[in-house]
Amino acid sequence: MGDGNMFIITNAKNSSGEPVSAVFVVQVTDRHGFTESISLQNATLAAGAEVNVGAAWMPQSAGVSLVDVFAVDSINSPHTLSAKSGQLFDVTEGTTVIAIKGRYEPAGVTVVIGYNNTVTWVNEDSRPRYVRADNINDSGFADAVRHRGKLEPGGSFSYTFREPGVFGFHEDTMRGTVTVLPDPYEGYESMEDERDTSVELEMYGDVDPDLSGHFLKGHVLDSVGRPIAHGNVDIAVNGVYMGNATTNIDGCFEFNRWQPRLLSGQKEAAIKEGYKFSLDLQVIARYTGDGSHFWSQSSASSQWYFRYPPMPPAQYEMSVSGGNYTRIGDTVSVVQGGESDMIVQVRSYLPQYDLDKMSFSISRLPCAVSADVSKGSSEVTTEKAGQFEITLSAQDYTTPGKYVIYIEQDLSKNRNPYVTQRQLDRFWLEILPSQK
């Protein structure tokens, strides 16, 4: 951001395998969902060719602006050629500078409340200078310059204008004005409160080299914390669009349809730079909004391991038996609207890992799935296995899919300093569609 303008430059690549003519659209949306700027750029790209796409705009107020860059084949009857690539810009309340060097430069400035309404006078002369208000009855600006308006060489004085109007200032024959414009969105405050939204995220990582064990779960809420149902959420990883999810009646969504091939270039670059084992993942989930709600987004991070990292030796062995569940390999199946029972037994490998009482839980559950854990015996030793009964229940609106679930113990509740193994086991939970 230089003289009030914001700039964005991004790169677009033709991955279609054949020449493409496209119109690149850069759309800027302010914090209220209103469009601030749209710019268009035409380009014809050979297969594999790249082009820089850029735009500049001047924000109309402080706050967060969303910049979407995407390609269409035509303006007259557009067909989208690429997913939107969103980026947030935070425009903080800015400062306007007036230099004093024999005169005021510039002599007149125009500022907007909520954007650049702090004005700073800087004395670049070799002798003291003054800023005096034309209207001595102005209780705000006049009082401020009366007490702080004398500037020694190299000194400065700042004042933030909170009210619209024209404010004159002077010293002898030097004259200047500050024209203060109102916040253009002042009248929309009540609408902003009603239409505001938020996205809460939980990102669960795993060590699978194909990303299959990674799992994103989130909630979309309105301004007073109520869930937003049937909302669309776009998912991107390291700037690459992965797909979308839909919120259920609880405002909850999950996503694990990762596409590692789309990140293969980043993976190769990381390996060349010496990161041979993993790549940092920055995940963005953006609720796209609707006629009643503004868009919002949140981010989470994880690691993509290219190979299985070394793991410490297990301290406990697990076994599963009984119950009316289906376990095929490492998969436990639950039908929408149904439940499955599991009986889990835990035994320590060495006496030093024995526990009088193990606290046990199920984590990483997808939306509308619950786990009830009851203890037959929570004492865990090499001779005596602790036994836990688990009932997994799915609502009739739980989204079908397959997820990696963890069986964990709460280390904060045991007093054995040798016990460090939090994750006891992992299994695949498959939610099957109801046949009703």
Side-chain angles (χ1 to χ4, degrees), residues 169-191:
F169 56 91
H170 66 275
E171 181 196 344
D172 298 332
T173 59
M174 296 191 302
R175 300 283 171 175
T177 58
V178 176
T179 302
V180 183
L181 302 181
D183 183 347
Y185 298 111
E186 185 176 0
Y188 295 106
E189 290 304 316
S190 61
M191 182 179 68

Side-chain angles (χ1 to χ4, degrees), residues 152-163:
E152 298 295 336
S156 65
F157 157 71
S158 295
Y159 181 76
T160 300
F161 292 87
R162 303 294 185 186
E163 299 293 332

Side-chain angles (χ1 to χ4, degrees), residues 64-133:
V64 175
S65 293
L66 174 69
V67 180
D68 278 317
V69 182
F70 57 99
V72 296
D73 59 358
S74 169
I75 292 299
N76 296 325
S77 56
H79 170 70
T80 302
L81 299 177
S82 70
K84 290 184 177 181
S85 175
Q87 183 173 351
L88 291 180
F89 287 80
D90 189 3
V91 182
T92 58
E93 190 172 287
T95 299
T96 300
V97 177
I98 297 176
I100 307 174
K101 38 189 175 183
R103 59 186 181 275
Y104 296 121
E105 294 184 3
V109 296
T110 300
V111 300
V112 180
I113 293 175
Y115 172 49
N116 60 344
N117 52 313
T118 296
V119 178
T120 298
W121 288 262
V122 180
N123 183 9
E124 298 183 3
D125 270 350
S126 58
R127 66 182 182 86
R129 286 294 190 180
Y130 294 84
V131 177
R132 297 188 174 99

Side-chain angles (χ1 to χ4, degrees), residues 172-377:
D172 298 332
T173 59
M174 296 191 302
R175 300 283 171 175
T177 58
V178 176
T179 302
V180 183
L181 302 181
D183 183 347
Y185 298 111
E186 185 176 0
Y188 295 106
E189 290 304 316
S190 61
M191 182 179 68
E192 178 185 3
D193 291 343
E194 296 172 1
R195 302 180 69 184
D196 232 7
T197 64
S198 62
V199 178
E200 299 177 351
L201 286 184
E202 297 173 88
M203 181 67 192
Y204 303 113
D206 205 64
V207 295
D208 288 337
D210 60 357
L211 290 179
S212 59
H214 281 66
F215 169 37
L216 179 71
K217 179 179 178 181
H219 289 82
V220 180
L221 307 173
D222 67 10
S223 59
V224 295
R226 295 173 300 197
I228 297 176
H230 313 300
N232 179 71
V233 181
D234 290 334
I235 312 296
V237 178
N238 291 2
V240 179
Y241 178 76
M242 289 286 160
N244 71 309
T246 303
T247 59
N248 64 16
I249 60 175
D250 301 320
C252 187
F253 67 91
E254 62 269 292
F255 186 87
N256 63 352
R257 304 187 308 277
W258 315 109
Q259 303 181 63
R261 62 180 180 81
L262 299 180
L263 300 173
S264 59
Q266 296 185 29
K267 174 182 176 181
E268 293 171 2
I271 293 174
K272 288 181 180 178
E273 292 176 6
Y275 299 93
K276 299 181 180 180
F277 300 102
S278 66
L279 173 68
D280 292 334
L281 300 180
Q282 186 72 17
V283 181
I284 292 180
R286 177 161 68 104
Y287 166 60
T288 55
D290 56 31
S292 303
H293 302 97
F294 293 132
W295 64 267
S296 60
Q297 74 178 33
S298 185
S299 63
S301 59
S302 186
Q303 291 282 120
W304 177 15
Y305 291 96
F306 308 147
R307 63 187 70 177
Y308 289 102
M311 305 293 287
Q315 297 176 345
Y316 300 94
E317 62 175 333
M318 307 280 295
S319 63
V320 181
S321 61
N324 62 342
Y325 62 92
T326 300
R327 186 177 176 108
I328 305 173
D330 289 325
T331 300
V332 175
S333 299
V334 182
V335 178
Q336 285 177 314
E339 60 183 34
S340 289
D341 296 326
M342 303 168 60
I343 299 176
V344 178
Q345 292 185 323
V346 187
R347 191 184 303 270
S348 60
Y349 279 117
L350 297 172
Q352 67 196 65
Y353 304 136
D354 291 352
L355 292 171
D356 294 333
K357 183 178 181 180
M358 174 179 281
S359 296
F360 185 94
S361 65
I362 306 295
S363 67
R364 301 168 50 113
L365 292 171
C367 299
V369 175
S370 61
D372 179 63
V373 179
S374 58
K375 303 169 184 176
S377 170

